[in-house]
Amino acid sequence: MMYPYMTLNDNTEITHSEMYPDGRVKVYIETPILNGFHDATCWLPDYSWEFHGYSEAEMNYFKKLIRDNAHLILEFSQEGGVLNAANS
């Protein structure tokens, strides 16, 4: 299951999975474009990336954004997402 984490001003959606048994969390970034999407996947905690369509500057932004938020994403991945964590 993927949980919503953040929506940016350009409608880019950032979601994350629950923590898998091996301790990894999938973070998915998707930006709508004409006739499709640009997307990127980051696996935490090792920060391995796959991406399609984003420029180097956009990826640098996303890499910093995920690094700055990784501790929260990892926490929320164990609590059923940010909405469930907020209701605890």
Side-chain angles (χ1 to χ4, degrees):
M1 175 168 205
M2 297 298 283
Y3 299 103
Y5 180 68
M6 181 183 299
T7 302
L8 304 180
N9 289 339
D10 66 352
N11 291 320
T12 295
E13 294 283 337
I14 301 174
T15 60
H16 66 84
S17 69
E18 56 194 48
M19 186 173 284
Y20 293 103
D22 65 0
R24 292 176 16 129
V25 175
K26 178 181 180 179
V27 180
Y28 184 71
I29 302 169
E30 182 178 80
T31 305
I33 59 169
L34 186 62
N35 299 322
F37 296 91
H38 289 166
D39 65 271
T41 301
C42 176
W43 287 95
L44 298 175
D46 59 340
Y47 297 95
S48 60
W49 285 89
E50 304 165 10
F51 56 93
H52 305 96
Y54 290 117
S55 69
E56 185 176 340
E58 289 169 320
M59 285 308 302
N60 288 338
Y61 172 80
F62 291 136
K63 287 176 180 179
K64 181 174 178 0
L65 180 68
I66 297 306
R67 275 207 186 272
D68 290 349
N69 285 270
H71 65 289
L72 294 172
I73 294 169
L74 289 167
E75 178 183 334
F76 297 149
S77 73
Q78 298 175 69
E79 298 179 12
V82 67
L83 297 177
N84 284 334
N87 291 325
S88 297

